[in-house]
Amino acid sequence: MELKYQGKTKDVYQLEDGPLLLKFKDDVTGENGVFDPGANTVGLKIDGAGRAGLSLTTFFYKKLNAIEVPTHFISSDIENATMTVKPATVFGKGLEVICRFRAVGSFLRRYGAYVEEGQKLESFVEVTIKDDDRLDPPISADALAELQILSLEEYETLKQRTVEISNFVKAELAKKGLELYDIKLEFGRDAETGEILLIDEISGGNMRAYKGSDYIEPLQLEKIMLSK
């Protein structure tokens, strides 16, 4: 295996037969030891976070594949905290697509003069570019097209799939009495076909979930969602 990329929460390896292998770590994003799915730095290490994140990611990807949502997921090995995926090229140097159902986090920090904390939002989608030096700034559809990161048509596909996937995850959480406040997704183009695929993970490390007014930590979210 060839190490292709070391990320904040997982490493990427090239397998000899074509697919990629993602190795999940116990690192999670945040600041000053506090978890924050919207942060662009590793804030803390949580023992078992890698396997927990992979378990929940596997749970959601299998369900999405079953309803024919295009994803890069092939298989996973929970014990070794690895996931085998189709190769995909990212948009530009990488994008993050956030779907928000409540005004919290960076959305509230930016627009607090116009919204109340926790105010309901209607599947609000925003895109940020991966750029640690510039704190992952938000970017508009027009700017994405102007910079040739993606076309306006691709943006509409990205937005539509983000709303579809995010509401699917929200509905799954609701079955366990949980509310999804926001979720961060990533997409890429299938390296062979060019089709837009959901990539990366869907876990407690990239969403905020609450039970009533209580925030559910990533490892606890995995336990709740995967319990019988």
Side-chain angles (χ1 to χ4, degrees):
M1 286 191 305
E2 174 193 354
L3 177 62
K4 289 181 65 70
Y5 175 75
Q6 287 187 300
K8 299 182 184 74
T9 60
K10 62 185 72 68
D11 294 333
V12 181
Y13 295 87
Q14 178 68 61
L15 298 177
E16 292 183 2
D17 55 353
L20 300 176
L21 187 77
L22 309 186
K23 175 69 174 179
F24 283 62
K25 305 178 186 179
D26 287 342
D27 298 323
V28 297
T29 56
E31 294 180 0
N32 302 317
V34 178
F35 167 72
D36 181 353
N40 66 340
T41 58
V42 171
L44 63 160
K45 183 185 289 287
I46 302 175
D47 289 342
R51 287 190 181 88
L54 177 58
S55 296
L56 196 52
T57 295
T58 301
F59 170 82
F60 281 120
Y61 268 125
K62 284 184 175 180
K63 286 181 173 290
L64 289 169
N65 282 356
I67 59 173
E68 299 185 346
V69 173
T71 80
H72 72 161
F73 178 82
I74 297 175
S75 64
S76 62
D77 181 341
I78 306 300
E79 181 63 28
N80 290 309
T82 60
M83 182 167 76
T84 304
V85 301
K86 301 175 185 176
T89 58
V90 298
F91 294 99
K93 297 179 181 178
L95 300 176
E96 292 177 341
V97 190
I98 302 100
C99 188
R100 301 184 183 277
F101 299 101
R102 293 274 189 173
V104 294
S106 61
F107 184 89
L108 181 65
R109 291 194 292 272
R110 280 183 272 130
Y111 308 124
Y114 297 90
V115 294
E116 299 292 329
E117 182 174 3
Q119 181 176 319
K120 287 188 176 182
L121 304 172
E122 296 296 328
S123 303
F124 178 80
V125 174
E126 62 181 346
V127 180
T128 66
I129 56 174
K130 285 191 171 185
D131 189 333
D132 290 346
D133 293 339
R134 295 172 178 82
L135 303 179
D136 295 349
I139 186 168
S140 68
D142 286 345
L144 286 165
E146 181 68 26
L147 298 172
Q148 299 182 2
I149 295 172
L150 50 70
S151 67
L152 290 174
E153 182 180 2
E154 286 178 318
Y155 174 81
E156 287 304 319
T157 299
L158 214 64
K159 181 178 179 180
Q160 178 184 353
R161 290 195 179 156
T162 296
V163 171
E164 177 186 6
I165 293 164
S166 300
N167 277 280
F168 178 85
V169 173
K170 183 181 181 183
E172 289 295 317
L173 265 64
K175 293 177 183 178
K176 298 289 187 176
L178 306 177
E179 182 181 354
L180 180 64
Y181 272 34
D182 57 30
I183 183 168
K184 178 176 64 179
L185 303 176
E186 294 190 33
F187 294 86
R189 297 184 184 95
D190 187 303
E192 290 188 3
T193 68
E195 181 181 22
I196 293 178
L197 305 174
L198 177 68
I199 64 172
D200 201 54
E201 64 183 282
I202 309 178
S203 70
N206 64 336
M207 68 177 79
R208 289 186 183 90
Y210 283 74
K211 188 175 183 65
S213 60
D214 296 328
Y215 167 69
I216 306 300
E217 296 285 348
L219 267 68
Q220 184 62 21
L221 179 64
E222 182 260 344
K223 291 177 182 178
I224 294 172
M225 291 303 298
L226 301 184
S227 63
K228 300 296 185 181

